[in-house]
Each structure stands twice: as C-alpha cells, then as structure tokens.
Amino acid sequence: MTDYLDAVIVEHNPSQKTIDRAVIWLHGLGASGHDFEPVVPQLGLADDMAVRFIFPHAPNRPVTINGGMVMPAWYDILEMSLERKVDISQIEQSSQKIHDLISREIERGVAPEHIVIAGFSQGGAVAYHAALGYPERLAGLMTLSTYLATNDHIVFSAANKDLPILIEHGTQDPVVPVVLGEQAQQLLSAKGYNVQYNTYPMAHQVCMPQIQNIGKWLNKVLA
C-alpha cells in the first residue's frame, strides 16, 4: 500500500463539474502545505475549469545548514554555496513521493496531461526532478525562486520534451540568488524545452502581479 504524503487540498469549482485538472504544489524549506493555500482564490482561474490543488507537507528531517535542526524539508542542504551542495538521494526520494501523488490523481480520473507540478524554493528543486523525469506527458512545470539541483542526475523523459515550463524569480532574492533561476532557464532552453522566464523586483517571496501571471499561465496549460 502506498504511503502518500499528507497534504492540504483546495478545490476550484468542485460543484461546477467533475474535477479533471490538478496542480501539485510544493512549499519551501521549513514551511508547510498551508503556505500557498491562500493563493488559489487569487489566481483568477477560468470558471469552466475544475481544478484540485494538492499542497503536500514535506517530512521532518535534520537540515545541516541550520545546525542539524529538524524541520519540514524535502532534502538536506549540506552547504549554502552558490552551487548548493545538497543530498541528491533525498531529492530523488521526494520526487518519487510526488510521482505517487500523480498516480493517485490519475486513479481519481485526472489525465497526466492535465496535471501541473509546481514548487517554491526547495520544493521547486524537487518539482524539477519530478516533472522532467516523469514518464508520461504532463500539463506543465512551474518553479518559483528556486534552482535546478539535479541536472546531472535527471533521466529526462522524452514524453515531456515539449513540456511548458514557467520559471519565476525575485531579482532581490537573498536566499536563492536570481542567477540560479537564470542558469536553470539557460540549461533547459539549451535542451530544447519551452521555457517562459519572468522576474519581479522582490526578495524570496511571491507578489500579486506574479500570482496573476501564474493564474494566466495555469489557465493556458490546463485549458
């Protein structure tokens, strides 16, 4: 029996029609699935779409850069250098947990090509790994204020070669420097991916113009 991650569930338009779209959205280090829950009503999603948002909670684990303190984390960060020395095996384990959530949505009647994988900061690094290596075509990949930690470890899926990717970053981010968002965009564009890259004059956070843009992108890729 699969042991699924606990998650916050928010449904857009559940009474209108059968839910046939899904967004699996991962939070950042030390946060929880409740982090992006308030964003859903602000996205301006189309009235004729029924979408299930799944905001999973990361497991608690010791984090080396925080003195070994136990906190919600998708993986251990060993060093805060620009290159980000991280526990690759834990990213792979967390990615598998996201694949399990995708499988559960498919069992509920949501086709994989109607599922978006999203993540903020640490959650974004896992989202990259989970979506780019997923064996069936997905609707899209959205990564916010994050970095591509596993470029040399992903088995890139041919099914998602033309996956729409939205990368968004704050130009004043002191936690994940904007250059890491640029690097991800350049790496994936060089591989032929369809990447949309946007920046905002903000720190390690989200802002209202960005939320509105995310809503437009979701309306497009989930249409």
Side-chain angles (χ1 to χ4, degrees):
M1 187 174 175
T2 304
D3 183 20
Y4 297 108
L5 292 167
D6 287 335
V8 176
I9 307 295
V10 180
E11 295 180 342
H12 167 75
N13 267 354
S15 61
Q16 297 297 100
K17 53 187 286 195
T18 303
I19 289 183
D20 57 1
R21 304 285 191 273
V23 178
I24 302 172
W25 193 328
L26 285 65
H27 63 74
L29 177 65
S32 79
H34 293 288
D35 223 26
F36 287 96
E37 184 181 0
V39 166
V40 177
Q42 301 174 322
L43 291 169
L45 295 179
D47 290 336
D48 60 352
M49 275 199 311
V51 187
R52 181 181 297 111
F53 285 81
I54 302 98
F55 299 107
H57 302 294
N60 290 313
R61 68 175 91 235
V63 177
T64 301
I65 58 161
N66 289 341
M69 188 184 297
V70 175
M71 62 182 62
W74 297 108
Y75 54 88
D76 189 15
I77 302 175
L78 307 169
E79 196 179 277
M80 277 297 279
S81 60
L82 189 61
E83 291 75 29
R84 289 293 193 284
K85 192 176 178 186
V86 300
D87 189 318
I88 299 295
S89 66
Q90 290 180 354
I91 292 181
E92 292 170 342
Q93 290 162 18
S94 291
S95 175
Q96 182 55 55
K97 288 291 189 182
I98 303 311
H99 286 188
D100 291 342
L101 292 178
I102 295 172
S103 296
R104 186 169 67 177
E105 289 308 302
I106 294 170
E107 288 168 12
R108 287 171 168 169
V110 182
E113 64 267 24
H114 293 153
I115 298 174
V116 167
I117 306 300
F120 175 83
S121 195
Q122 225 203 21
V126 175
Y128 272 129
H129 197 88
L132 295 173
Y134 193 70
E136 295 182 77
R137 179 66 157 81
L138 296 167
L141 166 64
M142 179 174 75
T143 61
L144 313 174
S145 304
T146 189
Y147 53 97
L148 180 51
T150 54
N151 184 55
D152 296 331
H153 300 268
I154 298 171
V155 179
F156 289 89
S157 162
N160 283 302
K161 189 64 183 170
D162 61 343
L163 184 70
I165 301 173
L166 178 66
I167 301 175
E168 306 222 312
H169 219 107
T171 55
Q172 299 151 30
D173 192 332
V175 180
V176 181
V178 68
V179 65
L180 294 177
E182 293 166 359
Q183 284 177 3
Q185 184 267 328
Q186 290 163 5
L187 278 166
L188 294 173
S189 294
K191 290 180 183 291
Y193 284 94
N194 172 22
V195 183
Q196 181 180 330
Y197 179 65
N198 300 319
T199 59
Y200 302 85
M202 64 181 185
H204 196 62
Q205 62 190 106
V206 293
C207 63
M208 199 60 211
Q210 177 188 22
I211 289 168
Q212 291 167 342
N213 186 61
I214 287 170
K216 290 175 186 173
W217 183 81
L218 286 173
N219 279 329
K220 183 179 174 184
V221 299
L222 290 174

